[in-house]
């Protein structure tokens, strides 16, 4: 898909054509200009040639049918993964990637093992949401639905591609484009402090999530090398400043890894950190990564961990696992192998 040229192709047309064209792409979700029936045949042909709407992708539906993973092949041949999660209450969440690979190298994360290849452009980020918007537009089994939520929890670290991520959020939120409520858009970061600070000053009411995964610096540095640069205390300080500025809730993500961060001691230490107002903890089951040294915690261990958090009155939920069978769950995104 190449929409860069849209304005150029339409420059000699009446002004409203551009609006109409955007409407076709972002509201009606056409995937070929021939569906733009109010345009002349010549214009449709030219648009198909200059700004083709095709998105090259392969998709895979999970056994339960509630999630669809797509591998999108970009213009330069790079591949990214993105997932649609269909909730019972008709919400449809797309989890988007913002980089090809990721330079952060977290030990438990499939993307981390790929290394960093490049940042995605704004258009390449949006394309992932467009892909699923088109899929949902089609009838049956649930008629004509829309993407209602977007999370930046796919491949890559959003705050290392700040400008393109923010620009894509503006398009997702734009009433003339996707019209997705800003409060339904979430950015997850491993704790890039400059990004947290910039977001706090941006005035954008997007949700912020922090990948915590360990309750102390020693363990966090072992699991997430980036903690040596952005240590836990500094990340939490940046989050507190963010909360003072924005008055918004912040979600902390904690993947439970067997015998690593799921002990009673860890639970108590975590409870000690999470007691603040407007902090919200999300416990995530570890999703298997091929060749990983780690395993998921047992159910009984998770229950014991939760019991300690409950006793300390910590605000938390355990995230439902989508798409595990198609390797479409968090941290399972890897391409090029
Ligand atoms: N780079 C950002 C966003 C992408 S990762 C970040 O790290 O926050 C999205 C979420 O999936 C993060 O919370 C990440 O820590 C988590 N994750 C990574 N590997 C995982 C795994 N194997 N199982 C479950 N969650 C994982
Ligand atoms: Fe990158 Fe996030 Fe994976 Fe860490 S968890 S390697 S920051 S994508």
């Amino acid at each position: 898909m190449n929409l860069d040229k849209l304005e150029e192709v339409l420059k000699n047309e009446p002004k409203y054509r551009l609006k109409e064209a955007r409407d076709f792409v972002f509201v009606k979700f056409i995937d070929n200009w021939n569906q733009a029936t109010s345009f002349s045949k010549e214009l449709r042909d030219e648009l198909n040639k200059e700004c083709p709407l095709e998105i090259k992708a392969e998709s895979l539906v999970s056994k339960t049918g509630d999630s669809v993973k797509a591998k999108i092949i970009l213009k330069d041949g790079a591949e990214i993964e993105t997932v649609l999660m269909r909730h019972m209450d008709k919400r449809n969440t797309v989890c988007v990637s913002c980089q090809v690979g990721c330079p952060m190298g977290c030990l438990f994360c499939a993307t981390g093992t790929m290394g960093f290849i490049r940042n995605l452009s704004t258009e390449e980020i949006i394309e992932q949401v467009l892909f699923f918007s088109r899929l949902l537009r089609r009838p049956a089994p649930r008629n004509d639905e829309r993407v209602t939520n977007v999370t930046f929890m796919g491949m890559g670290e959003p705050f290392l591609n700040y400008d393109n991520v923010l620009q894509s959020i503006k398009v997702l939120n734009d009433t003339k484009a996707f019209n997705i409520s800003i409060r339904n858009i979430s950015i997850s970061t491993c704790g890039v402090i400059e990004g947290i600070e910039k977001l706090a000053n941006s005035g954008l009411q997007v949700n912020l999530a922090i990948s915590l995964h360990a309750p102390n610096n020693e363990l966090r540095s072992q699991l997430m090398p980036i903690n040596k640069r952005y240590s836990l205390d500094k990340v939490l300080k940046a989050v507190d400043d963010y909360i003072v500025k924005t008055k918004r809730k912040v979600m902390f993500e904690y993947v439970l890894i067997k015998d690593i961060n799921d002990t009673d001691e860890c639970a108590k230490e975590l409870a000690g950190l999470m007691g603040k107002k407007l902090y919200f903890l999300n416990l995530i089951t570890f999703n298997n990564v091929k060749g990983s040294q780690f395993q998921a915690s047992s159910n009984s261990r998770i229950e014991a961990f939760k019991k300690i958090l409950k006793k300390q009155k910590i605000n938390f939920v355990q995230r439902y696992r989508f798409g595990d069978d198609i390797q479409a769950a968090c941290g399972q995104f890897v391409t090029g192998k």
Side-chain angles (χ1 to χ4, degrees):
M1 195 190 72
N2 179 7
L3 287 175
D4 298 343
K5 283 198 166 165
L6 200 57
E7 274 182 54
E8 202 184 307
V9 174
L10 295 174
K11 69 174 185 293
N12 296 326
E13 295 282 328
K15 262 209 175 119
Y16 61 83
R17 277 276 182 266
L18 183 62
K19 188 192 165 299
E20 254 184 312
R22 290 216 173 101
D23 220 48
F24 276 123
V25 177
F26 294 118
V27 180
K28 301 200 174 78
F29 302 120
I30 62 167
D31 51 20
N32 187 301
W33 287 107
N34 292 337
Q35 294 155 22
T37 43
S38 54
F39 289 5
S40 70
K41 171 87 172 66
E42 293 73 44
L43 184 56
R44 281 186 260 155
D45 287 347
E46 197 186 352
L47 284 167
N48 272 332
K49 192 163 147 257
E50 299 296 334
C51 322
L53 293 176
E54 186 200 8
I55 299 174
K56 259 201 214 163
E58 291 162 22
S59 53
L60 205 62
V61 182
S62 73
K63 279 195 204 105
T64 45
D66 59 4
S67 68
V68 185
K69 175 164 90 164
K71 180 166 86 182
I72 296 185
I73 300 124
L74 304 172
K75 263 177 269 167
D76 65 351
E79 294 173 353
I80 47 164
E81 292 192 332
T82 173
V83 173
L84 168 71
M85 289 162 281
R86 312 196 64 185
H87 309 267
M88 303 294 275
D89 58 6
K90 294 225 166 182
R91 276 179 308 127
N92 291 303
T93 302
V94 176
C95 176
V96 294
S97 294
C98 61
Q99 298 184 314
V100 185
C102 179
M104 295 308 200
C106 302
L107 265 59
F108 47 83
C109 172
T111 311
T113 64
M114 281 176 70
F116 176 63
I117 299 169
R118 68 171 174 87
N119 275 336
L120 296 188
S121 66
T122 303
E123 194 172 80
E124 288 168 334
I125 297 171
I126 290 166
E127 200 169 88
Q128 301 168 57
V129 184
L130 254 188
F131 178 79
F132 288 120
S133 300
R134 291 176 186 177
L135 201 82
L136 288 170
R137 183 201 55 174
R138 287 178 204 139
R142 281 159 45 167
N143 284 335
D144 227 9
E145 289 187 23
R146 298 181 65 93
V147 173
T148 56
N149 298 59
V150 175
T151 57
F152 285 81
M153 293 189 185
M155 295 163 80
E157 168 50 51
F159 287 156
L160 294 183
N161 188 12
Y162 188 91
D163 293 341
N164 292 348
V165 165
L166 267 268
Q167 190 52 38
S168 68
I169 289 175
K170 287 191 179 134
V171 179
L172 294 172
N173 180 231
D174 188 346
T175 49
K176 294 192 285 313
F178 289 91
N179 197 15
I180 297 171
S181 160
I182 194 76
R183 295 195 176 242
N184 290 348
I185 302 175
S186 307
I187 298 182
S188 174
T189 177
C190 62
V192 177
I193 288 167
E194 296 86 346
I196 300 172
E197 288 169 352
K198 268 205 230 170
L199 189 68
N201 294 325
S202 73
L204 216 59
Q205 300 280 306
V206 58
N207 303 307
L208 175 66
I210 308 286
S211 286
L212 194 70
H213 310 318
N216 59 59
N217 274 320
E218 196 191 341
L219 183 56
R220 197 164 189 267
S221 294
Q222 279 171 29
L223 296 173
M224 305 171 73
I226 193 61
N227 190 67
K228 292 175 197 137
R229 174 144 170 231
Y230 302 110
S231 63
L232 188 59
D233 35 314
K234 287 188 193 144
V235 173
L236 293 180
K237 164 85 175 60
V239 169
D240 290 342
D241 292 346
Y242 171 91
I243 290 176
V244 169
K245 274 205 179 116
T246 63
K247 317 257 180 315
R248 305 226 47 207
K249 238 166 59 175
V250 173
M251 183 167 89
F252 290 88
E253 295 157 287
Y254 195 98
V255 177
L256 287 158
I257 309 173
K258 184 172 190 241
D259 297 334
I260 303 285
N261 65 358
D262 64 352
T263 59
D264 283 356
E265 291 67 40
C266 281
K268 282 177 201 154
E269 214 172 341
L270 182 63
L273 296 177
M274 291 290 106
K276 289 188 190 158
K277 215 175 138 195
L278 297 182
Y279 276 22
F280 189 80
L281 178 64
N282 199 339
L283 294 179
I284 307 168
T285 328
F286 174 75
N287 295 311
N288 245 327
V289 172
K290 233 176 155 180
S292 175
Q293 54 181 314
F294 301 121
Q295 284 175 358
S297 306
S298 66
N299 284 342
S300 57
R301 183 81 301 264
I302 296 176
E303 287 313 311
F305 197 92
K306 280 160 63 177
K307 207 169 154 191
I308 293 172
L309 296 176
K310 263 184 211 150
K311 208 170 148 200
Q312 304 293 326
K313 301 202 167 43
I314 300 303
N315 228 340
F316 75 94
V317 292
Q318 190 179 354
R319 195 192 279 169
Y320 170 68
R321 249 159 104 140
F322 270 101
D324 205 17
D325 61 323
I326 53 170
Q327 304 274 297
C330 313
Q332 288 184 319
F333 289 11
V334 63
T335 55
K337 287 205 177 142

